[in-house]
Amino acid sequence: MQQQPMLEILAHSPWFSSLPETLAAELVSLCKLKTLADQQVLHKKNDLADGFVCVLSGRIRISNYTLQGKELILTWMQPGNWFGEISLLDGQPRTHDAHTEGKTVILKLSAGAFHTMLRNNNQWYAHFSRLLCQRVRASFSQIDETGCLSLTGQLCKRLLLLQQGLESEHCVNSQNKLRISQDALAQLIHSSRQTVNKILQDLRVKGLIDLKYRKIQLLDRDKLAELSRI
Amino acid sequence: MQQQPMLEILAHSPWFSSLPETLAAELVSLCKLKTLADQQVLHKKNDLADGFVCVLSGRIRISNYTLQGKELILTWMQPGNWFGEISLLDGQPRTHDAHTEGKTVILKLSAGAFHTMLRNNNQWYAHFSRLLCQRVRASFSQIDETGCLSLTGQLCKRLLLLQQGLESEHCVNSQNKLRISQDALAQLIHSSRQTVNKILQDLRVKGLIDLKYRKIQLLDRDKLAELSRI
DNA sequence: TATAAACTGTCGTCTATATGACATTTGAGT
DNA sequence: ACTCAAATGTCATATAGACGACAGTTTATA
């Protein structure tokens, strides 16, 4: 991957952009570029932590499986997103599976390099703490959402969040459309494909979104946000 | 409060017990004891962080309100639990309201003292990071639970977690019974009082719990755990 | 271009759970 | 001991959403 586009992707992460220059530079310089094919496993739940990762292109699905084998999607890590710090920071195993979706390029900092870096620079803990705080806050929001929003509300909220994530990507790929199946959305909000379809049709009729095969375009974000207020 | 019982309560927090002696000692020495009456507000959602808190006796309800005024309970902080670090570490406002339930004694470290302590001892960030990791993992569990367990499963899981929390308290008060209304349990699992009552009756008939006015005693934890496996 | 696989749209049915109503029980405060 | 507010137990009713079925559509690939 060329230097310039990589820096642009990195710059679109609010967390990464907030880092002091020295930390940002050291972080990137210690990382290795890796290219993964579609549906590769980065790690499974309960694995020991092997590193800290940033997605550069493609997408990584973060999910768990129930005893019955149903997949529960927590989120997708999109270009610019960093993840994997939890297991590194508390020494406990991974909380979720991580699978690529499509050809995916990542930056990876090995566990060893991560710990060496932190040991030599205690003051940088502050920045990883902030990343953890973001995760807690996002999780709290999600708990509130599932507690008091209808599935319509939850779906609107998730569509908005996915779109936000995509926009780090410079709208290059998909003319600003979300590329995602209705099935996957159902797994995200713990619902069924049929119900998601019904909700999406309803939103389309109301003019809030446009629907294509495996593509969703958000047309009226204010209304969508209104439907997902808590 | 006397020194000895306080130390015993503190010792029952896995997080606090894992701290290096120097940090534990400094933390406690910088805290101030406060006694609060029933239903006092420690802080509201969106307040700026004012401190880091440990419950010594009583209980603190952590909750949010929907637009319609319904209260969503995230959890209760019980004796030995520390909380409030999120806003302190990322400088953003509080995520939830915090109300006392019953006369409640707390240790409180002011925001200023917290930041001074960390500024002077960067290496202690590691321990607050671990606390954050616990929050993230607990939140992830809760998201999975609401996603794939029936209300019965969710309720069993929450009863077990509440009981675990209580046992830090040396079973002094309540002969090991949970003192909580069915209404509150409904707010915890985002359900209705009537449904919670039906589930509890069912668990009682099966011999897994015993029910009294505002009290629940867990009789068969293995079976309860079985009902809440994911 | 043909074929298969993945995805979508739309039924009808069934079940879990919310909600309102109301009687009963319990415990706290006087 | 009495009174009242809070909590509990139990209905009956309404409804959101899961799930199976199946036809239609789009894309990938041979």
Side-chain angles (χ1 to χ4, degrees):
Chain A
M1 173 163 275
Q2 292 162 15
Q3 196 70 355
Q4 197 48 41
M6 187 178 94
L7 292 178
E8 282 181 20
I9 291 167
L10 291 173
H12 274 81
S13 158
W15 175 73
F16 186 85
S17 309
S18 77
L19 299 180
E21 289 248 342
T22 45
L23 172 52
E26 178 161 355
L27 189 52
V28 173
S29 72
L30 291 172
C31 282
K32 292 206 174 107
L33 259 184
K34 292 193 189 256
T35 302
L36 301 160
D38 187 37
Q39 298 302 329
Q40 296 299 296
V41 176
L42 249 95
H43 57 71
K44 302 286 281 181
K45 177 165 177 162
N46 293 325
D47 283 354
L48 288 179
D50 54 341
F52 185 51
V53 170
C54 178
V55 181
L56 291 180
S57 70
R59 190 161 68 178
I60 295 175
R61 187 175 71 250
I62 307 295
S63 62
N64 271 339
Y65 287 85
T66 67
L67 287 178
Q68 298 84 41
K70 204 176 107 177
E71 184 175 16
L72 305 173
I73 298 177
L74 177 69
T75 191
W76 285 272
M77 293 296 169
Q78 304 196 83
N81 293 155
W82 290 85
F83 69 98
E85 78 289 348
I86 301 173
S87 294
L88 289 168
L89 288 167
D90 70 0
Q92 299 300 118
R94 293 290 188 196
T95 60
H96 294 85
D97 290 4
H99 291 90
T100 57
E101 294 195 349
K103 185 183 158 186
T104 299
V105 181
I106 63 171
L107 279 177
K108 182 165 178 177
L109 180 64
S110 74
F114 181 88
H115 285 120
T116 304
M117 192 182 79
L118 268 182
R119 197 167 37 245
N120 296 336
N121 302 276
N122 273 316
Q123 78 280 11
W124 288 347
Y125 263 114
H127 304 286
F128 291 98
S129 292
R130 280 194 299 103
L131 187 57
L132 285 173
C133 287
Q134 286 183 21
R135 301 249 187 267
V136 185
R137 287 176 185 272
S139 302
F140 284 170
S141 292
Q142 190 162 348
I143 290 171
D144 284 348
E145 284 160 36
T146 53
C148 77
L149 288 180
S150 68
L151 286 179
T152 299
Q154 293 178 46
L155 185 52
C156 291
K157 182 66 178 280
R158 291 293 130 190
L159 289 174
L160 287 167
L161 288 175
L162 286 170
Q163 178 72 49
Q164 261 185 263
L166 254 198
E167 281 165 10
S168 321
E169 217 184 343
H170 290 292
C171 329
V172 176
N173 288 356
S174 47
Q175 303 100 46
N176 226 9
K177 290 187 181 78
L178 291 170
R179 307 183 89 259
I180 192 170
S181 75
Q182 298 181 6
D183 226 331
L185 286 175
Q187 290 173 303
L188 183 65
I189 62 170
H190 309 313
S191 173
S192 67
R193 181 188 66 77
Q194 294 93 325
T195 299
V196 166
N197 180 264
K198 202 169 64 165
I199 295 171
L200 290 176
Q201 293 300 329
D202 186 50
L203 294 175
R204 186 181 55 74
V205 167
K206 288 180 180 153
L208 308 192
I209 63 173
D210 191 28
L211 285 177
K212 294 282 161 55
Y213 186 84
R214 237 176 175 294
K215 284 202 187 94
I216 300 174
Q217 179 163 27
L218 309 191
L219 299 176
D220 188 339
R221 299 212 208 168
D222 291 343
K223 283 253 178 59
L224 290 170
E226 179 59 35
L227 287 175
S228 55
R229 287 199 30 235
I230 291 186
Chain B
M1 170 163 276
Q2 292 163 13
Q3 195 71 354
Q4 197 47 40
M6 188 177 94
L7 292 177
E8 282 181 20
I9 292 166
L10 290 174
H12 274 81
S13 158
W15 175 73
F16 186 84
S17 308
S18 76
L19 299 180
E21 289 248 343
T22 46
L23 172 52
E26 177 159 356
L27 189 51
V28 173
S29 73
L30 291 172
C31 281
K32 295 207 173 106
L33 260 184
K34 292 192 189 255
T35 301
L36 300 160
D38 187 37
Q39 299 301 330
Q40 296 299 295
V41 177
L42 249 94
H43 57 72
K44 302 288 281 181
K45 177 166 178 163
N46 294 324
D47 282 355
L48 287 179
D50 54 342
F52 185 51
V53 170
C54 178
V55 181
L56 291 180
S57 70
R59 190 160 69 180
I60 295 175
R61 188 175 72 249
I62 307 294
S63 61
N64 271 338
Y65 288 83
T66 67
L67 286 179
Q68 297 84 41
K70 204 176 107 178
E71 183 175 14
L72 305 173
I73 298 177
L74 177 69
T75 190
W76 286 273
M77 294 296 169
Q78 305 194 84
N81 294 155
W82 291 85
F83 68 98
E85 78 289 350
I86 301 173
S87 294
L88 289 168
L89 287 167
D90 71 359
Q92 299 300 118
R94 293 289 187 197
T95 60
H96 294 85
D97 288 5
H99 290 90
T100 57
E101 295 196 349
K103 184 183 159 186
T104 299
V105 181
I106 63 172
L107 280 177
K108 182 165 180 177
L109 179 65
S110 75
F114 181 89
H115 286 121
T116 305
M117 192 182 78
L118 270 181
R119 196 167 38 245
N120 295 336
N121 302 276
N122 273 316
Q123 77 279 14
W124 288 348
Y125 263 115
H127 303 287
F128 291 97
S129 292
R130 280 193 301 102
L131 187 57
L132 285 172
C133 287
Q134 286 183 21
R135 300 247 188 268
V136 184
R137 288 176 184 272
S139 302
F140 284 170
S141 293
Q142 190 162 348
I143 290 170
D144 285 347
E145 283 160 37
T146 53
C148 76
L149 289 180
S150 68
L151 285 179
T152 298
Q154 293 179 47
L155 186 52
C156 291
K157 181 66 178 282
R158 290 294 128 190
L159 289 175
L160 287 167
L161 289 175
L162 285 171
Q163 178 72 48
Q164 260 185 264
L166 253 199
E167 280 164 11
S168 322
E169 218 185 343
H170 291 291
C171 327
V172 176
N173 288 356
S174 45
Q175 302 100 48
N176 225 9
K177 291 188 181 77
L178 290 171
R179 306 184 89 260
I180 192 171
S181 75
Q182 298 180 6
D183 225 330
L185 287 175
Q187 289 173 302
L188 183 64
I189 62 171
H190 309 313
S191 172
S192 67
R193 180 187 66 78
Q194 294 93 325
T195 299
V196 166
N197 180 263
K198 203 170 62 167
I199 295 171
L200 290 176
Q201 294 300 329
D202 186 51
L203 294 175
R204 186 179 56 74
V205 167
K206 288 181 180 152
L208 308 192
I209 63 174
D210 190 30
L211 284 177
K212 294 280 162 54
Y213 186 84
R214 236 174 176 296
K215 284 202 188 93
I216 300 175
Q217 180 164 27
L218 309 192
L219 299 176
D220 188 339
R221 297 214 210 167
D222 291 344
K223 283 252 178 61
L224 291 170
E226 180 58 37
L227 286 175
S228 56
R229 286 198 33 235
I230 290 186

